[in-house]
Amino acid sequence: FFQCIAKQSCANPLCSDSFSEVVHGYIWRYAKIQNASLFFRGIRTWSADGPEERHLQILNSWGPLLLGPVWPLKTIFLEGDPKYRDVSSTVVRRICEDRRKSREHGGDMNNDELSRLVPECVVEKVVEAYG
């Protein structure tokens, strides 16, 4: 399901060499199988996501050394546009829940609020997942 959302959002011709994959287990193992040389991780801001991301970076560094045994991949963090720093999965889930409740009571199912946060092409799938 989430792979479907990712594929739809990457349908843009500018992403023609991108793909999404749902991975179970250690992401670093999958990356090694795919011959990846880097991890890219998107974050809102360092103040919002930094501590959790550093924790994951430590796990993705020590895991390969201890369990691999392979050398860990370098992680590059991509900080999002500051105008989206207040966007989180919690906010998206709240909007979807509000939309579901409105639909149950025959209200307007306007996607404008959600469309500002996720690509229009995946709005209905996101609502389906979180509503």
Side-chain angles (χ1 to χ4, degrees):
F1 175 78
F2 292 103
Q3 187 174 13
C4 174
I5 291 174
K7 282 184 179 180
Q8 284 180 324
S9 64
C10 285
N12 183 318
L14 296 175
C15 298
S16 63
D17 62 346
S18 299
F19 67 95
S20 64
E21 193 76 36
V22 176
V23 176
H24 301 282
Y26 296 114
I27 188 66
W28 55 265
R29 282 192 173 146
Y30 175 79
K32 286 294 185 178
I33 290 169
Q34 297 299 314
N35 294 316
S37 57
L38 296 168
F39 275 127
F40 287 94
R41 296 193 58 89
I43 61 172
R44 291 175 291 172
T45 64
W46 278 110
S47 60
D49 300 323
E52 293 85 5
E53 289 298 328
R54 283 293 183 210
H55 177 75
L56 287 172
Q57 183 184 22
I58 291 167
L59 292 175
N60 286 329
S61 296
W62 282 98
L65 290 171
L66 297 174
L67 302 174
V70 295
W71 196 253
L73 297 176
K74 180 179 180 180
T75 301
I76 296 175
F77 294 95
L78 303 173
E79 198 165 342
D81 187 322
K83 71 181 179 183
Y84 296 115
R85 73 175 170 268
D86 294 326
V87 175
S88 67
S89 59
T90 302
V91 170
V92 171
R93 284 192 301 271
R94 181 195 49 79
I95 293 168
C96 291
E97 177 67 14
D98 291 348
R99 188 173 186 273
R100 182 190 60 77
K101 288 177 182 175
S102 176
R103 182 177 34 208
E104 287 174 356
H105 294 97
D108 181 24
M109 294 189 295
N110 188 341
N111 289 333
D112 289 347
E113 188 177 11
L114 192 55
S115 296
R116 287 192 295 266
L117 305 178
V118 300
E120 182 66 39
C121 63
V122 298
V123 166
E124 288 305 316
K125 291 285 186 186
V126 171
V127 170
E128 185 181 319
Y130 293 119

